[in-house]
């Protein structure tokens, strides 16, 4: 199963130094039954893209909670054994946790399939979205529009051998 782990650039640097994402338990995103039902698609690529976007939103939340963090969303895609990622059945109907899974142990960074990161030109929109997130959560339509502006930026794909250049 492929999981998408939300991080920040400083979190990626820590993971790179340690050789693993962790410690566990970790929150990640994957193609879960509730995500399949919500997205209404049988196309696995579309479903994985939806899970990646859920992880990107979670990365934005991490950024919003850290004022000194670089304003670029980071998601690490890792293939884990079946059963290693567990969805909480009690959260299945909670829209905010669609696709969310828990992983008990740290994940070896060497097992990562890719790293997805915002381009430099997304930083302004990601910064605005991080600042507007609280108001958006409270129902402010203008703030929601600002948050959606960050989501308009596609995350770029990088191989794990490119991590030193991303964090350097």
């Amino acid at each position: 199963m492929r999981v998408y782990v939300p991080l920040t650039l400083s979190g990626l640097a820590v993971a790179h130094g340690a050789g693993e994402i962790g410690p566990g338990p970790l929150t990640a995103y994957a193609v879960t039954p509730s995500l399949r039902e919500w997205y209404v698609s049988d196309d696995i690529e579309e479903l994985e893209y939806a899970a990646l976007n859920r992880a990107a939103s979670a990365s934005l939340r991490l950024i919003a909670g850290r004022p000194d963090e670089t304003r670029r969303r980071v998601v690490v895609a890792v293939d884990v054994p079946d059963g290693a990622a567990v969805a909480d059945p009690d959260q299945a109907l909670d829209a905010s946790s669609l696709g969310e899974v828990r992983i008990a142990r740290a994940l070896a960074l060497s097992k990562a399939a890719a790293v997805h990161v915002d381009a430099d030109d997304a930083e302004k929109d990601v910064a605005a979205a991080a600042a507007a997130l609280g108001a958006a959560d409270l129902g402010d339509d203008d703030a929601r529009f600002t948050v959606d502006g960050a989501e308009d930026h596609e995350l770029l794909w990088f191989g794990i051998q490119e991590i030193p250049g991303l964090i350097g």
Side-chain angles (χ1 to χ4, degrees):
M1 167 182 266
R2 177 153 296 175
V3 298
Y4 299 90
V5 183
L7 290 176
T8 61
L9 276 176
S10 64
L12 182 62
V14 169
H16 180 67
E20 66 182 17
I21 304 167
L26 300 170
T27 298
Y29 294 82
V31 178
T32 62
S34 63
L35 184 76
R36 281 181 188 276
E37 186 176 323
W38 170 74
Y39 199 75
V40 191
S41 175
D42 289 330
D43 185 330
I44 191 64
E45 288 182 13
E46 286 182 19
L47 292 165
E48 286 183 346
Y49 184 72
L52 170 66
N53 284 327
R54 301 289 296 163
S57 294
S59 176
L60 178 64
R61 290 191 176 281
L62 293 172
I63 291 167
R66 299 179 178 130
D68 296 334
E69 186 63 54
T70 302
R71 293 342 211 187
R72 291 172 67 194
R73 298 167 299 163
V74 176
V75 176
V76 180
V78 183
D79 292 321
V80 300
D82 289 341
V86 180
D88 183 346
D90 293 333
Q91 297 287 341
L93 299 177
D94 181 357
S96 68
S97 53
L98 285 171
E100 190 175 287
V101 294
R102 298 274 185 271
I103 301 166
R105 300 186 195 321
L107 298 172
L109 196 55
S110 64
K111 300 290 184 187
V115 179
H116 302 272
V117 182
D118 275 313
D120 292 340
D121 67 353
E123 283 190 41
K124 181 180 175 187
D125 288 337
V126 171
L133 199 53
D137 287 347
L138 294 173
D140 183 312
D141 289 336
D142 291 335
R144 171 54 38 204
F145 182 78
T146 301
V147 170
D148 290 345
E151 294 173 1
D152 288 341
H153 291 274
E154 295 288 332
L155 297 178
L156 303 177
W157 183 97
F158 296 91
I160 60 170
Q161 71 277 10
E162 297 177 272
I163 292 174
L166 292 170
I167 61 177

